[in-house]
């Protein structure tokens, strides 16, 4: 333990430390640039009792460090406010862009529907008069022959039928009055055509 002379030279808490322990304290104080033993012991107690581990203790610069931290905190707060503002502006731009895209999509749909409606309205409906012979009635006509009689090619018949949501043969029957029996490649009239010519 400490001698009487040593105790006389070291007051307060340090008086209860022996030479080796005090030597360790002085070494620790030098490492962390602490001049007063009372301050060193306060830091050690805080670490031990509160779990605050001092990484680097520099009392001379402590006030400056606190000021620097306050400045940094203010800068961070300002940066967060700027980011939040930019995020809000970005969200507004995204929402505006989405609205424009929706409006453009609807305009395209409307234009497409209008165009489709015009095309559908231009598609001939109802029976078209054409000439045919008794032999045609007896032997039947191929699709190509039937289309030639009404002056519409087969691919157009198929396209128009699709636009009208009809089977091509159903649409062709609507235009001609001729049907293709099951398992047959030729078309025959269901009833006499008014324009029937022998």
């Amino acid at each position: 333990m400490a001698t009487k002379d040593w105790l006389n030279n070291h007051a307060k808490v340090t008086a209860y430390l022996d030479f080796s322990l005090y030597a360790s304290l002085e070494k620790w104080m030098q490492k962390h640039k602490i001049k007063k033993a009372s301050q060193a012991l306060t830091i050690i107690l805080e670490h031990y009792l509160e779990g605050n581990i001092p990484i680097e203790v520099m009392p001379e610069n402590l006030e400056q460090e606190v000021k620097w931290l306050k400045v940094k905190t203010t800068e961070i707060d300002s940066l967060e406010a700027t980011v939040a503002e930019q995020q809000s502006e970005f969200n507004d731009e995204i929402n505006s862009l989405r609205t424009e895209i929706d409006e453009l999509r609807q305009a395209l749909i409307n234009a497409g529907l209008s165009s489709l409606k015009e095309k559908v309205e231009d598609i001939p409906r109802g029976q078209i008069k054409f000439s045919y012979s008794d032999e045609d009635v007896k032997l039947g006509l191929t699709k190509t022959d039937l289309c030639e009689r009404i002056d519409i090619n087969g691919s157009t018949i198929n396209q128009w039928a699709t636009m009208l949501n009809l089977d091509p043969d159903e649409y062709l029957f609507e235009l001609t009055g001729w049907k293709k029996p099951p398992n047959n490649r030729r078309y025959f009239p269901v009833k006499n055509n008014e324009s029937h010519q022998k």
Side-chain angles (χ1 to χ4, degrees), residues 102-119:
D102 289 340
E103 290 174 354
L104 177 60
R105 183 187 295 113
Q106 191 59 48
L108 291 174
I109 290 172
N110 292 340
L113 290 175
S114 176
S115 176
L116 181 61
K117 183 179 178 182
E118 290 174 2
K119 289 179 181 178

Side-chain angles (χ1 to χ4, degrees), residues 20-52:
S20 60
L21 188 57
Y22 188 77
S24 298
L25 178 62
E26 283 187 323
K27 185 177 179 182
W28 188 87
M29 289 168 60
Q30 289 173 358
K31 178 181 177 183
H32 294 285
K33 300 180 181 178
I34 298 173
K35 296 178 180 178
K36 295 181 180 180
S38 58
Q39 188 177 19
L41 290 173
T42 300
I43 293 170
I44 291 170
L45 286 171
E46 285 178 352
H47 161 57
Y48 179 78
L49 297 175
E50 298 179 12
N52 299 318

Side-chain angles (χ1 to χ4, degrees), residues 143-155:
K143 184 175 182 178
T144 302
D145 293 334
L146 197 55
C147 289
E148 286 178 356
R149 299 291 176 93
I150 61 174
D151 197 26
I152 304 174
N153 65 53
S155 61

